[in-house]
């Protein structure tokens, strides 16, 4: 039986490419998206490549509700979940998310609601299914901008980039990774934060310098990591980042 992976925000960008690559690696892919039309179209495109891909509702505005419904569906059809990739996230491109002295409370709250609270609430109902797998992986798609070390290092390329909402939400997501990995330390579930790198996607107005394939690389690799590999870490395609 093929392994089952659930990917949020997978109807486009990095999530879609991760779905494609893991589908070609033999996974049954549950392609999560908020919008049914876009999700179905994305899943159909991957099925046309001969992949086992099904659209599922994954809406971080209703994270606990949609994850609980999904958990019931997955339990009924598969009985377990091998990989959860928390890829969905937002970045406020309107100007509201700015440095600490000018960031709006609306941008802060909205960004945290999706990138942090939504991810935590979405993950929790799925943990019993991950515990039911022979070995499981949780990947939280983070960013080097969430690294306190890189944010305070004048020699880092991340140093001058200071949208408080996004950076702080990814730092909080990294803490979720650390805490959950500790809690699951005696299980066969590995939990890691992965930075895809500055990839050209809608999230950044397609200003990124990496290709989608490059952005998917580390996520795909860690979704298939062996049982004796790291947990509770912060990685990118070429190594690791400081917290």
């Amino acid at each position: 039986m093929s392994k089952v992976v659930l990917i949020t925000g997978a109807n486009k960008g990095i999530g879609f490419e991760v779905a494609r690559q893991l589908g070609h690696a033999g996974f049954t892919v549950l392609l999560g998206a908020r919008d049914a039309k876009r999700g179905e179209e994305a899943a159909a495109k991957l099925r046309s490549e001969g992949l086992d891909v099904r659209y599922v509702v994954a809406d971080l505005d209703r994270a606990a509700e949609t994850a609980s419904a999904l958990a019931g569906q997955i339990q009924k059809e598969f009985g377990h979940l091998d990989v959860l990739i928390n890829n969905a996230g937002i970045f406020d491109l309107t100007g509201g998310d700015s440095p600490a002295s000018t960031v709006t409370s609306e941008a802060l709250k909205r960004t945290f609601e999706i990138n942090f609270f939504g991810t935590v609430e979405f993950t929790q109902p799925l943990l019993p299914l991950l515990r039911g797998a022979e070995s499981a992986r949780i990947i939280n798609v983070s960013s080097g901008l969430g690294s306190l070390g890189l944010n305070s290092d004048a020699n880092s390329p991340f140093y001058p980039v200071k949208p408080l909402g996004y950076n702080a939400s990814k730092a909080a997501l990294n803490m979720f990774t650390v805490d959950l990995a500790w809690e699951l330390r005696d299980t066969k579930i590995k939990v890691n934060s992965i930075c895809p790198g500055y990839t050209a996607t809608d999230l950044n107005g397609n200003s990124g310098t990496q290709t989608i394939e490059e952005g998917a690389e580390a996520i795909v690799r860690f979704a298939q990591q062996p049982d004796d590999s790291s947990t509770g870490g912060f990685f990118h395609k070429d190594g690791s980042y400081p917290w």
Side-chain angles (χ1 to χ4, degrees):
M1 179 181 292
S2 63
K3 290 188 174 182
V4 182
V5 57
L6 169 58
I7 310 167
T8 64
N11 62 289
K12 62 180 180 178
I14 292 171
F16 181 78
E17 181 60 25
V18 169
R20 168 184 277 129
Q21 291 190 28
L22 289 178
H24 280 291
F27 281 78
T28 292
V29 178
L30 305 181
L31 186 152
R34 290 184 299 171
D35 184 273
K37 183 175 184 295
R38 292 175 181 174
E40 290 285 10
E41 288 174 352
K45 185 174 181 180
L46 293 179
R47 284 195 298 270
S48 73
E49 298 181 21
L51 308 181
D52 184 4
V53 180
R54 304 106 183 267
Y55 162 68
V56 296
V57 179
D59 185 352
L60 295 197
D61 276 319
R62 302 180 294 119
E65 175 188 340
T66 56
S68 295
L70 259 177
Q73 295 174 29
I74 295 169
Q75 177 62 47
K76 185 176 180 180
E77 185 166 0
F78 303 104
H80 69 280
L81 178 64
D82 298 282
V83 181
L84 170 62
I85 300 176
N86 287 313
N87 170 70
I90 62 170
F91 182 85
D92 185 339
L93 294 172
T94 69
D97 192 0
S98 58
S101 64
T102 56
V103 65
T104 67
S105 60
E106 291 80 6
L108 273 174
K109 291 173 182 176
R110 176 62 179 159
T111 303
F112 262 80
E113 188 62 40
I114 299 299
N115 293 359
F116 179 63
F117 296 118
T119 299
V120 173
E121 291 171 5
F122 189 84
T123 301
Q124 288 171 335
L126 297 166
L127 287 172
L129 288 163
L130 290 155
R131 288 178 179 274
E134 185 175 329
S135 63
R137 309 288 175 259
I138 299 172
I139 295 172
N140 294 321
V141 178
S142 186
S143 169
L145 291 171
S147 164
L148 296 178
L150 295 177
N151 263 281
S152 59
D153 180 358
N155 295 313
S156 165
F158 297 96
Y159 184 68
V161 186
K162 293 291 190 287
L164 181 61
Y166 186 79
N167 292 12
S169 72
K170 291 301 186 178
L173 181 67
N174 287 344
M175 183 60 79
F176 177 51
T177 293
V178 170
D179 280 15
L180 188 58
W182 175 85
E183 189 175 351
L184 299 174
R185 65 194 182 282
D186 295 326
T187 74
K188 291 187 177 180
I189 304 174
K190 307 291 185 181
V191 188
N192 289 294
S193 282
I194 303 296
C195 171
Y198 191 33
T199 304
T201 67
D202 290 349
L203 186 77
N204 54 42
N206 291 296
S207 62
T209 56
Q210 285 191 153
T211 66
I212 293 291
E213 291 78 11
E214 289 172 320
E217 183 179 326
I219 300 169
V220 170
R221 184 195 317 150
F222 275 82
Q224 302 173 88
Q225 67 184 134
D227 288 341
D228 61 353
S229 56
S230 298
T231 189
F234 187 13
F235 301 97
H236 56 92
K237 67 183 179 65
D238 299 316
S240 62
Y241 278 143
W243 295 114

